[in-house]
Amino acid sequence: MAGHAATTDTAAISVRGLHKSFGPLAVLKGVDLEVARGEVVCVVGPSGSGKSTLLRCVNLLEEPTAGTVRVAGVEVTHPDCDIDGVRRRIGMVFQSFNLFGHLSVLQNVMIAQRRVLRRPAAVARRIARENLDRVGLAEKADAYPAQLSGGQQQRAAIARSLAMNPELMLFDEPTSALDPELVGEVLAVMRSLADEGMTMMVVTHEMGFAREVADRVAFMDGGAIVESGPPAAVLGSPRQARTREFLHRVLQQ
């Protein structure tokens, strides 16, 4: 386990009474969750349990139906919130890599720095190269996304997020679109970020990663957090029958 719990009193992420409905379908039903600065929280659970919707509500990619979300003390659900300003402080890595196919890897990592942060080209290039090196892709800077494996594309997407100097990172099933043999290289990068003390909220089905790297695991089912605690407790000796059933099913595969 990572062993880099919070050192300050202000939570990086604070979710209170969060509800989200799509028409008549209630996807989130009163979720409460805090992620402390420097903490890694893995959210696990069956498909359709609301994990990704919860993550997307944190940076308002989904608009909550009710409840509040605070990021670094700023209430992003407040009508007057400068959400673009808050999003600049959050790195987001999706299932799909969302790289621009007509741009080189280096250009992909530079573009948001140039357009959003207005960094000069030379500065953006230097920071892009530093972060490509950080994820083990220094030699692929001039390649194009189509020339990379899925694992390399996802690592490039992580480098792109890191180049924006985020205060925290959100990962939405970052390995689910990858061939099994490529999963490890992405998880290794995420593990190194955790070791550096990056605040991370990770929706994942990789139970081994959650067990090794998370400070806390939250198990979701039916739009609610059923159980939350240290990985050894939630994954090793869960209290709730729903958690036990889910783990039994997952670990039998």
Side-chain angles (χ1 to χ4, degrees):
M1 183 165 135
H4 37 262
T7 53
T8 69
D9 54 354
T10 307
I13 300 169
S14 179
V15 175
R16 287 279 174 270
L18 195 68
H19 290 259
K20 174 63 182 177
S21 296
F22 295 98
L25 179 65
V27 178
L28 298 177
K29 303 170 185 175
V31 174
D32 294 321
L33 180 69
E34 283 210 352
V35 180
R37 293 181 191 273
E39 190 177 30
V40 178
V41 173
C42 284
V43 183
V44 303
S47 296
S49 59
K51 307 183 300 294
S52 291
T53 301
L54 170 61
L55 195 77
R56 291 169 67 86
C57 283
V58 170
N59 61 358
L60 243 58
L61 290 176
E62 296 290 357
E63 190 90 34
T65 307
T68 60
V69 178
R70 283 186 169 79
V71 175
V74 177
E75 187 189 330
V76 300
T77 41
H78 192 281
D80 297 331
C81 176
D82 172 16
I83 187 59
D84 290 332
V86 175
R87 283 183 182 141
R88 287 187 200 112
R89 304 162 70 178
I90 305 172
M92 178 99 188
V93 178
F94 299 89
Q95 296 178 32
S96 53
F97 322 122
N98 299 330
L99 298 174
F100 294 109
H102 66 290
L103 299 180
S104 71
V105 170
L106 184 70
Q107 290 168 327
N108 266 283
V109 181
M110 287 177 63
I111 188 167
Q113 295 186 67
R114 298 277 289 131
R115 291 190 178 172
V116 178
L117 300 183
R118 305 288 183 208
R119 284 178 181 156
V123 174
R125 188 175 295 110
R126 174 180 58 77
I127 290 170
R129 289 192 182 280
E130 285 171 2
N131 283 288
L132 286 171
D133 186 47
R134 197 172 171 187
V135 302
L137 286 179
E139 77 289 355
K140 297 291 186 182
D142 298 322
Y144 285 81
Q147 299 170 301
L148 303 184
S149 70
Q152 289 170 330
Q153 290 186 62
Q154 190 61 293
R155 284 189 282 149
I158 293 172
R160 177 183 57 193
S161 283
L162 292 174
M164 303 293 282
N165 298 116
E167 293 175 33
L168 61 131
M169 293 282 287
L170 307 177
F171 292 88
D172 187 8
E173 296 273 17
T175 60
S176 66
L178 301 179
D179 292 332
E181 68 270 19
L182 302 177
V183 167
E185 65 192 52
V186 174
L187 294 181
V189 169
M190 294 170 64
R191 195 174 282 114
S192 70
L193 292 178
D195 289 341
E196 292 169 18
M198 175 65 77
T199 306
M200 295 161 59
M201 183 174 168
V202 184
V203 170
T204 185
H205 59 276
E206 299 289 342
M207 295 301 140
F209 175 83
R211 189 178 285 110
E212 289 170 40
V213 179
D215 295 297
R216 202 151 38 89
V217 173
F219 169 69
M220 284 190 75
D221 195 19
I225 293 176
V226 174
E227 189 164 353
S228 175
V234 175
L235 302 180
S237 52
R239 297 188 310 276
Q240 303 296 326
R242 283 152 82 189
T243 316
R244 288 195 294 272
E245 287 164 20
F246 168 74
L247 290 170
H248 179 72
R249 222 169 36 245
V250 166
L251 299 174
Q252 293 302 304
Q253 292 174 1

